Amino acid sequence: EGTITFLGVLLLFGAVISSTLYNTMSRKISGEFTVFERTYIQTIVGLISFLILALIENKDAPIKVVNSFMNAEYVLAILYLGVVSSVVAFLFLNFANTYLPVAKTTAFSNLTTVVSVLAGAIFLNEKLLFFFLFERCKYKNIFKHSITFLYFFAIKREKKH
């Protein structure tokens, strides 16, 4: 059984803030850069960042990072997560950020968590403990007020533009 900590809630709040900022910035630069350019740059930055983190984590034996790519199962997982899950998903998100208000894309992008949880329950027979834990969470009002604040902030910013 999981526990709910203040650090976890703080990290979750940070994720919501960064998602909102990402959607806002993507929308803002959509006039200057195409969907493909935005997605390409963020993919390259992510690749470099995670490669650096992998090398730091394996600083005693950096060859482990290279040897990992000799495993076909590992390479297939990386290709699936990198190409299908990330690149395709962010192409769609950047496309949506180009044509839809930020408030709508933020709301719809938050549905990915719900879909992921439901898919895990349906296809992997995982237990749906989230709703039970959320009801027990003493910080649930922080979630509610934060999401409401960010939603109205995004709507207000959209009306200005």
Side-chain angles (χ1 to χ4, degrees):
E1 188 173 317
T3 59
I4 298 170
T5 64
F6 182 72
L7 177 61
V9 171
L10 198 60
L11 290 171
L12 187 59
F13 183 72
V16 171
I17 294 289
S18 66
S19 173
T20 303
L21 290 174
Y22 171 81
N23 287 330
T24 304
M25 294 305 296
S26 178
R27 171 72 177 195
K28 188 174 185 176
I29 64 172
S30 66
E32 299 172 46
F33 301 100
T34 67
V35 171
F36 293 104
E37 290 170 331
R38 287 179 279 155
T39 305
Y40 176 76
I41 293 299
Q42 83 180 43
T43 302
I44 295 300
V45 169
L47 171 76
I48 292 168
S49 300
F50 282 110
L51 185 59
I52 290 169
L53 289 173
L55 290 170
I56 290 171
E57 187 173 303
N58 294 291
K59 64 181 173 243
D60 297 335
I63 194 70
K64 287 181 181 179
V65 175
V66 176
N67 287 342
S68 298
F69 289 96
M70 302 302 161
N71 181 343
E73 192 174 301
Y74 178 80
V75 171
L76 286 174
I78 292 293
L79 288 174
Y80 173 75
L81 289 171
V83 176
V84 178
S85 295
S86 296
V87 174
V88 173
F90 278 102
L91 272 170
F92 284 129
L93 181 58
N94 286 328
F95 180 81
N97 282 331
T98 302
Y99 299 104
L100 295 174
V102 172
K104 286 184 182 178
T105 57
T106 300
F108 284 124
S109 66
N110 287 329
L111 287 175
T112 58
T113 305
V114 175
V115 171
S116 298
V117 168
L118 291 176
I122 293 168
F123 298 113
L124 301 175
N125 297 319
E126 293 177 350
K127 294 179 182 175
L128 286 175
L129 293 177
F130 174 75
F131 299 108
F132 173 71
L133 289 175
F134 185 73
E135 284 305 314
R136 288 183 43 207
C137 178
K138 57 186 169 186
Y139 304 111
K140 69 182 173 183
N141 285 331
I142 294 173
F143 288 128
K144 292 176 184 176
H145 296 302
S146 300
I147 290 170
T148 304
F149 170 77
L150 290 173
Y151 184 75
F152 286 113
F153 175 75
I155 288 174
K156 193 170 200 156
R157 290 202 33 90
E158 274 301 310
K159 287 182 180 177
K160 287 182 181 178
H161 297 287

